[in-house]
Amino acid sequence: MINYIEEVNKNVNIEEGKKTLENILITIYLKGGISTKELARNSLLPIPLVAAIKKEFIKKGLVIQDRGTRLTIKGRHFIEEGLGFKKINSDLYMRLLMEPWKEHREIIEIKEELQEVFDNRPKVDVTIDQSKSSIDTSLKRAILSLKNHDLVGKRILCLGDDDLVSIALGFLLKKLFNNTTQHTTKITVMDIDKRIIDYISNIAIKESLSIKCEYIDLRTPLADNFKNQFDCFFTDPPYTFEGMNLFLSRGIEALRRCSGLTIYFSYAHKFPDFQLTMQRYFLSMGLLVSEIIARFNTYEGASIIGNTGQMIVLKTTSLTNALIKAPYKGVLYTGELKETVRSYRCKQCGEIIKVGRSEKLDNIEMLKSKGCYKCNSQVFELIQRENRN
């Protein structure tokens, strides 16, 4: 099939990127009869530029001017077959676009379906900075990608996925396509935790989700077959500058070379000077901060970050380039920069047990798994935190 987006882009070559042209066509598909003025408002472009883009679409036979802007049969065929919207529940798609955070009946159903999946996921490994996001958070991330037209017909990458965003994406797609798998979206998960890889792979097989999992240590550069492949990516990296820069760099190399692609970057709320340094790193990689949504993410048992985190939506530009391309040999996780030893008191017998990288047990999950040395109880309370570095 002819890629009409590429064809039109040759003639208008807008600085916002080809994805903006695609989004305009999708908007016309969803809102037949839309005015040029409303198209301009939706796409954040000047009216004359939108009029020029529309003229090119008319030349290609994709749209017509008839009581507003409408798709031709040819245009509808391109959207459905070329961009993956065939047989989509357009009513649900539109409701999620207009009210993305409303508790729609279908969203409540997805949460109910996901409950067991999230309850049974592997325990967190704090040594690699894992923390479990809530079902609401993972599903909100999926809906956010729909809101930005980054879901249907796309190649999506999850860099680290102990939050099971890939599963939330898969369940949302099934609901959008009337509980079928008749869509063209492809989701790839890259993770260093084999437990996560195995768990997601098994769920994907059981639920017929289009998810492929890859065991990858991001300290090693991506293989060529993973580069320049994806339309967007999600990541919730280690909360260190080193971890942030490495995950963003590998993700940038995985994205297609195109302006306007989206990076869904989850991170803890930090103090102003820390966030200023973060944004300087974004700029050094040629990334634009498009949106910051405070308190977007909630986590289970992550009291050290107040159980919440922000969603930073980044966009690629013509200057986007990975900061780290070579093999990485430095520190990465928070425990490598600052060892924290935590003292827990057994609630049953009062025994004090320390956990940390230099202790017999690395983390509280291991302690709960083994139980108290004296009474085998698995209920503990944190009484002291000590930084040794």
Side-chain angles (χ1 to χ4, degrees):
M1 177 178 288
I2 298 173
N3 189 332
Y4 291 105
I5 302 299
E6 295 280 358
E7 294 289 317
V8 170
N9 188 60
K10 290 176 184 177
N11 295 330
V12 293
N13 193 25
I14 63 171
E15 295 177 351
E16 287 77 9
K18 289 177 283 188
K19 187 173 183 296
T20 300
L21 300 177
E22 183 179 299
N23 289 352
I24 288 174
L25 263 190
I26 293 171
T27 301
I28 297 170
Y29 174 76
L30 295 169
K31 298 181 178 181
I34 189 171
S35 68
T36 303
K37 184 177 181 179
E38 188 178 353
L39 269 177
R41 186 166 55 247
N42 285 356
S43 58
L44 303 178
L45 294 176
I47 292 176
L49 179 54
V50 172
I53 293 169
K54 188 173 71 171
K55 185 177 179 180
E56 291 299 323
F57 284 142
I58 290 173
K59 287 181 181 177
K60 297 294 180 183
L62 301 177
V63 305
I64 57 173
Q65 187 67 35
D66 177 23
R67 290 168 295 151
T69 307
R70 301 176 185 276
L71 289 178
T72 62
I73 294 175
K74 180 180 178 181
R76 181 170 291 275
H77 179 76
F78 175 68
I79 292 288
E80 293 180 346
E81 299 292 344
L83 301 185
F85 280 77
K86 186 176 182 180
K87 295 186 178 180
I88 194 169
N89 183 337
S90 56
D91 172 68
L92 175 58
Y93 194 98
M94 279 298 299
R95 282 190 280 124
L96 290 173
L97 274 181
M98 301 301 293
E99 298 179 296
W101 315 130
K102 182 179 178 179
E103 288 284 282
H104 301 279
R105 172 181 55 81
E106 295 87 350
I107 296 304
I108 294 172
E109 290 172 354
I110 293 174
K111 289 180 184 179
E112 292 171 350
E113 293 164 0
L114 286 173
Q115 189 64 59
E116 184 178 354
V117 174
F118 274 66
D119 286 346
N120 294 327
R121 60 184 155 171
K123 293 180 178 180
V124 298
D125 183 350
V126 296
T127 64
I128 54 174
D129 288 0
Q130 288 181 351
S131 58
K132 293 180 178 179
S133 74
S134 64
I135 293 176
D136 279 352
T137 292
S138 296
L139 191 52
K140 278 169 61 181
R141 292 178 188 176
I143 294 170
L144 184 59
S145 70
L146 177 149
K147 184 172 176 282
N148 293 321
H149 298 310
D150 283 327
L151 179 64
V152 176
K154 302 299 183 183
R155 295 195 65 180
I156 303 172
L157 173 64
C158 296
L159 276 184
D161 198 24
D162 54 300
D163 294 332
L164 306 186
V165 175
S166 59
I167 302 295
L169 289 163
F171 273 69
L172 178 57
L173 283 162
K174 283 181 72 172
K175 189 66 70 174
L176 282 166
F177 286 87
N178 301 305
N179 293 315
T180 72
T181 56
Q182 295 180 354
H183 59 79
T184 58
T185 301
K186 304 295 181 185
I187 303 165
T188 298
V189 173
M190 296 181 181
D191 207 297
I192 196 172
D193 190 335
K194 292 182 178 178
R195 301 173 308 147
I196 298 295
I197 292 293
D198 291 343
Y199 189 71
I200 293 175
S201 295
N202 289 336
I203 297 296
I205 292 170
K206 179 182 176 182
E207 299 292 340
S208 300
L209 306 178
S210 183
I211 301 173
K212 182 180 180 182
C213 293
E214 302 285 349
Y215 170 76
I216 288 178
D217 184 344
L218 294 181
R219 291 184 175 93
T220 302
L222 293 182
D224 288 343
N225 61 305
F226 291 128
K227 293 180 179 179
N228 311 324
Q229 297 295 315
F230 297 93
D231 298 295
C232 68
F233 74 87
F234 290 85
T235 191
D236 193 339
Y239 293 158
T240 64
F241 287 130
E242 294 82 359
M244 178 189 85
N245 290 334
L246 181 63
F247 276 57
L248 283 177
S249 292
R250 300 304 189 219
I252 286 169
E253 289 194 310
L255 288 179
R256 294 187 295 110
R257 293 291 173 260
C258 183
S259 293
L261 300 186
T262 313
I263 299 169
Y264 297 97
F265 178 78
S266 294
Y267 212 78
H269 294 107
K270 294 289 188 177
F271 56 89
D273 284 358
F274 188 102
Q275 297 206 74
L276 177 61
T277 302
M278 280 176 60
Q279 295 200 26
R280 284 174 174 158
Y281 279 122
F282 297 155
L283 289 173
S284 71
M285 287 183 262
L287 296 173
L288 166 71
V289 178
S290 175
E291 185 177 12
I292 299 177
I293 311 174
R295 295 179 292 277
F296 184 90
N297 302 302
T298 57
Y299 301 89
E300 299 173 10
S303 58
I304 195 168
I305 61 169
N307 299 100
T308 64
Q310 59 190 322
M311 169 61 73
I312 303 175
V313 181
L314 302 169
K315 296 284 187 178
T316 60
T317 69
S318 60
L319 300 178
T320 296
N321 198 28
L323 190 64
I324 302 170
K325 297 181 180 179
Y328 181 76
K329 298 180 181 179
V331 297
L332 186 58
Y333 301 106
T334 53
E336 296 173 324
L337 290 172
K338 181 190 295 183
E339 182 188 1
T340 300
V341 176
R342 293 175 172 83
S343 297
Y344 290 90
R345 178 186 289 119
C346 174
K347 284 198 169 183
Q348 182 163 300
C349 72
E351 178 72 5
I352 306 298
I353 303 171
K354 292 184 177 182
V355 302
R357 187 156 43 91
S358 60
E359 303 295 327
K360 291 182 179 180
L361 299 174
D362 282 351
N363 54 64
I364 183 60
E365 297 299 336
M366 291 180 65
L367 175 56
K368 287 179 178 178
S369 176
K370 290 184 176 294
C372 175
Y373 301 141
K374 283 192 174 181
C375 67
N376 292 322
S377 171
Q378 295 178 312
V379 183
F380 303 90
E381 61 177 338
L382 176 65
I383 59 172
Q384 185 179 2
R385 184 185 291 111
E386 174 189 356
N387 293 328
R388 289 189 176 175
N389 289 12

